[in-house]
Amino acid sequence: MSNIGEQIKKYRIEKGITQEQLGNLIGVTTQAVSRWERGGTPDAEVIPAISDVLGVSTDALFGREQQSFALSLARQLSSMPQEKAFQYAFSICWAIEIGLVGDVSAIDDFLNKYIDYSMPEEIKNNNYYAKIIFDSGIANARLAPDFKHFFLLSETDSSSPVKLSDTEKLRKVFSVFADKKLLSIIIYIYSKPNMPIASSLISKQTGIELHEVDRCMEILCKNNITTHTVIATAEGEINAYAFRKESFAVPLLCFADEIAQDNLRPFFGGFERKKPLL
């Protein structure tokens, strides 16, 4: 059985907090935390507080729970403030991208610098891409000053490619984003909080005539990109629209933006796929 002090130190470091911070959060001194981590045992009444702060079970503190990395990560993320959790999750995604290449030397070359984004200022302003295309799956990541995303496709059956919907259905989806008016409305609506926006305001902000806005919105609603509601006002009922909470369009727009880049420069990757992509 692992020493509880060793477990406290392990989970404290994983959570990214100091001995002083842990002590403050559970109401003990830094010296007490240090004493536990050198082999001491905390009083029984503070163990639940330690468990809560570190985001692990009391069994884990005593080494009785063999936590998988996935379970440990899920608990760690759930205990973080939302903004910090998303930042940390992306760093894990970047680590996955680098690890999947299977080149140990790449870890030291790229991992710390690009996870922490601690490169020189002139480099930070660029877009960086990682592309991995293997028979077992595909992983793509983009790292930019204000634009970070990650995609992972895991294929358990290495003998068959991905099965997509029929091409006619896909064509209809892409035709929506290829229409200038529809795309202008999509981008405008997604630039606002998720609340109903009147047709008249959409018309004013996009420069599209009001009757055309309602026609476009009917198409967007039909394609599950926006939702429609009617708002009663002193002047009568008006049409209003909001983007769907599932935000189907956002990932597609992110990757379309990547394709549209003039300076696409994947700096890191692996391309060893032998079977078809689709």
Side-chain angles (χ1 to χ4, degrees):
M1 184 182 297
S2 300
N3 178 278
I4 187 172
E6 293 175 354
Q7 296 296 93
I8 291 173
K9 182 177 181 179
K10 170 188 170 183
Y11 293 121
R12 175 182 63 77
I13 293 173
E14 285 183 1
K15 193 170 180 65
I17 61 176
T18 65
Q19 290 181 338
E20 181 180 7
Q21 289 170 327
L22 177 58
N24 289 337
L25 289 169
I26 61 178
V28 300
T29 64
T30 304
Q31 291 76 13
V33 177
S34 176
R35 186 165 59 251
W36 301 337
E37 294 187 358
R38 292 198 310 270
T41 301
D43 294 335
E45 60 266 23
V46 300
I47 290 177
I50 298 172
S51 173
D52 289 342
V53 169
L54 296 180
V56 298
S57 67
T58 54
D59 279 347
L61 289 180
F62 286 98
R64 291 193 291 261
E65 180 181 309
Q66 295 298 316
Q67 291 185 308
S68 69
F69 173 75
L71 179 59
S72 177
L73 176 62
R75 283 181 169 154
Q76 188 172 358
L77 289 171
S78 68
S79 67
M80 292 179 174
Q82 189 178 83
E83 182 177 354
K84 184 177 180 181
F86 269 88
Q87 292 173 349
Y88 183 64
F90 183 78
S91 72
I92 297 298
C93 292
W94 196 254
I96 290 171
E97 187 83 33
I98 294 171
L100 286 174
V101 173
D103 181 359
V104 176
S105 64
I107 297 175
D108 292 331
D109 289 341
F110 296 111
L111 190 59
N112 290 332
K113 178 164 44 172
Y114 289 97
I115 281 184
D116 295 337
Y117 213 34
S118 57
M119 65 278 282
E121 287 297 327
E122 63 272 15
I123 298 178
K124 285 185 180 181
N125 294 326
N126 294 324
N127 286 297
Y128 292 93
Y129 303 91
K131 309 290 182 184
I132 296 171
I133 305 177
F134 292 161
D135 281 337
S136 298
I138 298 170
N140 294 336
R142 177 180 181 181
L143 182 65
D146 55 0
F147 203 161
K148 306 175 180 68
H149 62 69
F150 175 76
F151 168 79
L152 175 66
L153 173 66
S154 176
E155 300 172 68
T156 55
D157 183 356
S158 60
S159 64
S160 60
V162 175
K163 296 294 188 295
L164 298 174
S165 299
D166 64 74
T167 54
E168 180 59 21
K169 289 182 179 179
L170 295 177
R171 188 195 65 77
K172 289 180 179 179
V173 172
F174 282 104
S175 69
V176 171
F177 292 88
D179 185 286
K180 184 177 180 180
K181 291 179 181 179
L182 294 176
L183 183 58
S184 296
I185 292 173
I186 291 171
I187 292 175
Y188 170 67
I189 289 179
Y190 274 89
S191 71
K192 299 300 177 183
N194 188 21
M195 63 178 66
I197 304 173
S199 300
S200 57
L201 181 56
I202 297 174
S203 175
K204 179 180 178 180
Q205 295 299 321
T206 62
I208 300 172
E209 293 184 7
L210 185 59
H211 72 278
E212 274 292 283
V213 167
D214 286 326
R215 182 190 68 82
C216 290
M217 298 314 301
E218 183 178 349
I219 296 173
L220 295 179
C221 289
K222 184 177 180 180
N223 283 274
N224 297 316
I225 295 173
T226 57
T227 59
H228 170 247
T229 188
V230 176
I231 298 175
T233 71
E235 290 75 31
E237 295 181 344
I238 60 173
N239 291 321
Y241 303 90
F243 61 77
R244 289 182 65 92
K245 293 181 179 179
E246 300 93 332
S247 301
F248 298 127
V250 171
L252 181 57
L253 289 171
C254 288
F255 283 100
D257 183 80
E258 181 176 316
I259 294 171
Q261 293 296 313
D262 294 328
N263 62 338
L264 184 63
R265 41 187 282 191
F267 81 103
F268 177 83
F271 308 89
E272 299 176 5
R273 192 178 179 100
K274 296 180 177 62
K275 71 175 186 178
L277 285 166
L278 296 175

